[in-house]
Amino acid sequence: MSDADAQKRAAGVAAAALVEDGMVVGLGTGSTAAWFVKALGARRLRITCVATSTATADLAISLGMTLGELGETRPIDLTVDGADEIGPGLSLIKGGGGALLREKLVWEASRRSVVIADAAKVVTTLGKFALPIEVTAFGHKTVQNRICDVLAEFDIGVAPRLRIKDGAPVRTDGGNLIYDAACGRIEEPAALAFALKSVTGVVEHGLFLDLADQALIGGPAGVTTLEP
Ligand code: 5RP
């Protein structure tokens, strides 16, 4: 196992210890969240889980965990999820795994959200990781042009690239497409988040701001806790 994977696992295991019997728990998506789900499943608690992707739902079901639908369970007590970058104030870039829309819906419905990651994800300025932007398939090239205009207003001179896998555009669980914007540095994440959401055809973007209550970061010397 690589050092990064060991750090992801340590963070996932630490987060699983936060869960108590009877809770409703949001399950994130990605390799770090998968460590959390496995560690949580092994605890055999009486909990109901809300998954943020079909991949995570499949994993949880394979572990015998009980799943509920968002909005049809009691309020979510705790959501645990990974991130692609963790910046100042626990501002995040998410969506590298393509689950950003469902993740944001679940995070926003949660009383508490904890982000888990390996140490390399912590940055001083967001933007080195290309920002995922989920868009409608219909008219997506027009939406791309409008996103370019928005980025230019923030002095970000890149054209977002359509996410392709195995020669075909990636479709999200909701059937949408993803553009990745290699911003470099995002100096004004809140203003950019607002501007992107104002583009018709943008379904969601990967800036998660003021949503994480705590971060558990796996590092060479163990797991450390960050607060906003
Ligand atoms: C999925 C996500 C993931 O949490 C993010 O991509 C981190 O993934 P990993 O834990 O595999 O590094 O946002 O949409």
Side-chain angles (χ1 to χ4, degrees):
M1 183 184 295
S2 70
D3 286 351
D5 281 336
Q7 293 174 10
K8 290 178 181 191
R9 180 173 68 174
V13 169
L18 301 175
V19 179
E20 296 169 12
D21 231 7
M23 278 185 166
V24 178
V25 183
L27 307 178
T29 294
S31 57
T32 319
W35 286 117
F36 164 71
V37 175
K38 287 178 199 160
L40 184 57
R43 291 190 61 201
R44 301 273 164 216
L45 298 173
R46 280 170 298 149
I47 55 175
T48 301
C49 298
V50 176
T52 54
S53 62
T54 52
T56 296
D58 290 347
L59 174 62
I61 289 166
S62 76
L63 296 168
M65 299 166 84
T66 303
L67 290 185
E69 290 292 321
L70 179 62
E72 293 176 10
T73 65
R74 285 187 297 102
I76 299 172
D77 297 294
L78 172 68
T79 287
V80 176
D81 198 355
D84 300 300
E85 279 187 349
I86 302 175
L90 301 190
S91 56
L92 309 176
I93 288 182
K94 283 185 52 55
L100 61 161
L101 173 59
R102 293 190 184 186
E103 289 170 340
K104 200 174 276 189
L105 284 164
V106 170
W107 280 59
E108 289 184 349
S110 301
R111 290 189 168 129
R112 185 171 169 225
S113 295
V114 173
V115 60
I116 53 175
D118 56 294
K121 302 280 182 66
V122 180
V123 299
T124 51
T125 306
L126 294 177
K128 192 170 174 199
F129 189 92
L131 177 65
I133 304 168
E134 183 166 347
V135 306
T136 54
F138 179 82
H140 66 92
K141 289 189 176 153
T142 305
V143 181
Q144 180 198 26
N145 289 337
R146 301 233 10 237
I147 294 171
C148 279
D149 294 343
V150 166
L151 294 174
E153 286 168 23
F154 289 84
D155 294 325
I156 299 169
V158 293
R161 296 171 65 113
L162 182 64
R163 192 179 296 183
I164 303 283
K165 191 176 176 197
D166 300 329
V170 170
R171 292 276 182 166
T172 67
D173 283 344
N176 299 311
L177 302 175
I178 295 182
Y179 277 87
D180 292 299
C183 298
R185 291 174 68 86
I186 300 175
E187 305 284 2
E188 300 173 88
L192 179 60
F194 184 81
L196 287 172
K197 279 301 278 278
S198 73
V199 175
T200 303
V202 169
V203 179
E204 196 46 78
H205 55 73
L207 285 166
F208 281 48
L209 309 176
D210 299 320
L211 285 173
D213 297 296
Q214 191 178 57
L216 298 178
I217 308 295
V223 177
T224 54
T225 302
L226 301 179
E227 307 284 345

